[in-house]
Amino acid sequence: MNLAPYAMHAENSRGRRFSEPPHPYRSEYARDRDRIIHSRAFRRLEAKTQVFTTRFSDHFRNRLTHTLEVSQIARTVAAALGLNTELAEALALAHDVGHPPFGHAGEEKLDELMRAHGGFFDHNLHALRIVEQFEQRYLDFPGLNLTFEVREGIIKHSRDYPGDKFPQLAEYDLGLYPPLEAQIIDWVDEIAYNTADLDDAREARLLSLDVLLREVPLFAEHYAAVCSAYPDAPDKLRFNEAIKRVLDLLATDLIETTGQNVAQSAAQSAAEIRKAPSRLAGLSAEAGARNAELKKFLQAHIYRHPAILDDRIRSVRCLEELFAFYLLTPDAMPPFHAQLARKETRHIVVCDYIAGMTDQFLLRQHQERFGASRRSVN
Ligand code: MG
């Protein structure tokens, strides 16, 4: 790999918790990427909702296909910037493994239930526990024994944790930013889901093209250009082409703006990227503002659409009832969690168990415990 000086070079890695001999032909980050792909948590992404449940169609993104899209865009962006594509890919593949069932609604509900016990739920911290403790695959160590930079990227995904509130994360140097390979993931994630959610919303017939054209100039301009170039093409293909152009514009802007920010900072190493006064990956002010309009549209018209909300309310109620059930009856959990619940704080163990569930597994458990499901299982 021909890397820029400010890229994260695998030979400069701070290494793994349990040292291992180097692999003859895979870099440390390539090994991390491969371990993530072979993990159970990664396979479970297939049965976790992104936004739309399979109740509408089998063609929607789930968290696994979303993750693959993020990984594809991340590799492109990383390569264009001279960054370490293997590290970017590992981080992209891991970025959603800590998500509980039922998307953000599930996350909010778990957090609310945990707060009643003086705790909280956070998907980055949960992802870290998955890769450090819950994945049991190897003879020589617990978890996946990932490199420092991948664990750090998991923790520094999409938010900054104040060091005084999270002393347990002190080893991750919370006052420093992560390398660019981690910083781009937040943006790539957003570019991937903003465009994909438009596509899925159209497929679910929840999207009004008129409202979209009125409220999202970024889309409207590309759509108009496509329609005038292809006046007789089917609507669906013109819509897809416009989405593709929006995605391309945002990814290109991310590459160019990040490149300019790095040049202005004069950072010459990953260590200097970490110490820069702010995160250097990002969109230009103009593209950022236009992307924000797209995001606002999705929030106002799609994520809160009654068809999505109804499904979500029923699912989240099942999650809440199961949480209460396992808290009272910890032995109803599998032996690993039941034993843990005797030694450790019970609500945390219950939370971890539920957070690891897929949507369908949770609904099946609910049906087994409470009889007839109040939600029609797809
Ligand atoms: Mg994501």
Side-chain angles (χ1 to χ4, degrees):
M1 245 187 291
N2 209 353
L3 299 185
Y6 48 79
M8 186 65 222
H9 295 243
E11 58 273 23
N12 296 335
S13 170
R14 277 168 64 174
R16 307 178 186 280
R17 270 198 206 293
F18 304 89
S19 67
E20 297 179 47
H23 190 274
Y25 48 85
R26 285 184 302 163
S27 79
E28 296 305 321
Y29 299 138
R31 292 173 93 180
D32 283 0
R33 173 200 61 204
D34 300 346
R35 284 178 192 187
I36 292 160
I37 290 177
H38 287 265
S39 69
R40 282 161 50 121
F42 184 75
R43 292 196 291 281
R44 289 198 303 263
L45 291 171
E46 186 190 8
K48 294 203 182 201
T49 298
Q50 179 66 16
V51 174
F52 301 89
T53 62
T54 48
R55 187 206 232 317
F56 291 100
S57 151
D58 283 338
H59 296 143
F60 295 132
R61 273 83 180 169
N62 55 46
R63 243 169 232 287
L64 179 62
T65 63
H66 158 71
T67 293
L68 295 176
E69 292 181 359
V70 172
S71 150
Q72 173 265 309
I73 303 169
R75 275 198 316 267
T76 302
V77 171
L81 285 164
L83 300 176
N84 192 317
T85 53
E86 288 173 337
L87 175 57
E89 189 177 11
L91 290 167
L93 293 171
H95 92 278
D96 265 355
V97 294
H99 265 289
F102 312 127
H104 286 286
E107 180 169 21
E108 275 166 30
K109 177 53 78 178
L110 266 186
D111 186 56
E112 178 195 316
L113 293 167
M114 289 296 280
R115 282 184 194 275
H117 295 272
F120 65 96
F121 178 80
D122 175 281
H123 74 263
N124 290 347
L125 297 173
H126 185 68
L128 192 63
R129 287 149 70 78
I130 287 174
V131 302
E132 293 231 86
Q133 299 170 33
F134 303 148
E135 286 289 329
Q136 299 286 336
R137 301 185 54 79
Y138 300 98
L139 288 167
D140 293 331
F141 44 78
L144 304 179
N145 198 28
L146 300 175
T147 57
F148 174 86
E149 292 74 27
V150 173
R151 285 179 282 126
E152 179 198 26
I154 287 174
I155 277 302
K156 295 180 179 173
H157 171 52
S158 69
R159 62 167 290 188
D160 298 316
Y161 295 85
D164 54 339
K165 295 219 175 78
F166 294 89
Q168 74 275 31
L169 299 177
E171 67 172 304
Y172 296 107
D173 295 331
L174 295 177
L176 299 181
Y177 294 109
L180 282 172
E181 286 81 354
Q183 294 187 28
I184 60 168
I185 301 300
D186 297 353
W187 292 101
V188 167
D189 184 23
E190 180 156 340
I191 293 170
Y193 65 66
N194 282 346
T195 48
D197 290 347
L198 277 186
D199 188 21
D200 285 353
R202 186 183 191 279
E203 176 90 16
R205 300 178 193 284
L206 300 184
L207 184 124
S208 156
L209 185 60
D210 290 343
V211 179
L212 175 62
L213 294 175
R214 197 166 61 232
E215 297 188 5
V216 186
L218 174 61
F219 181 86
E221 284 161 28
H222 286 291
Y223 187 72
V226 171
C227 288
S228 72
Y230 298 88
D232 302 320
D235 268 352
K236 183 177 162 47
L237 296 187
R238 296 195 297 202
F239 187 86
N240 284 353
E241 177 64 25
I243 289 184
K244 195 193 87 178
R245 292 185 185 191
V246 168
L247 195 163
D248 192 58
L249 178 141
L250 293 172
T252 304
D253 187 89
L254 174 63
I255 292 163
E256 289 173 355
T257 307
T258 304
Q260 285 159 14
N261 292 346
V262 173
Q264 274 165 19
S265 79
Q268 285 300 316
S269 65
E272 287 173 16
I273 296 282
R274 291 174 177 285
K275 290 184 191 140
S278 62
R279 288 186 181 235
L280 297 177
L283 297 174
S284 64
E286 195 202 339
R290 307 185 93 205
N291 178 54
E293 290 167 341
L294 168 54
K295 208 171 166 154
K296 200 169 148 201
F297 168 85
L298 288 164
Q299 271 158 359
H301 301 290
I302 307 300
Y303 304 148
R304 293 193 196 121
H305 194 287
I308 298 220
L309 275 185
D310 288 354
D311 226 24
R312 209 183 276 167
I313 290 165
R314 277 192 296 270
S315 307
V316 160
R317 194 180 302 136
C318 293
L319 185 154
E320 185 169 14
E321 288 173 358
L322 269 185
F323 189 94
F325 172 78
Y326 290 125
L327 216 48
L328 279 174
T329 353
D331 284 342
M333 292 189 288
F336 176 82
H337 287 90
Q339 279 165 23
L340 220 54
R342 271 180 228 123
K343 289 186 285 184
E344 294 180 14
T345 316
R346 192 183 285 185
H347 62 270
I348 295 178
V349 177
V350 169
C351 178
D352 282 337
Y353 179 50
I354 289 184
M357 292 182 180
T358 63
D359 297 14
Q360 292 306 316
F361 182 80
L362 189 148
L363 294 173
R364 278 201 307 276
Q365 292 304 305
H366 186 269
Q367 192 151 18
E368 268 177 36
R369 310 297 175 191
F370 295 91
S373 174
R374 293 172 201 176
R375 179 189 191 277
S376 59
V377 178
N378 308 314

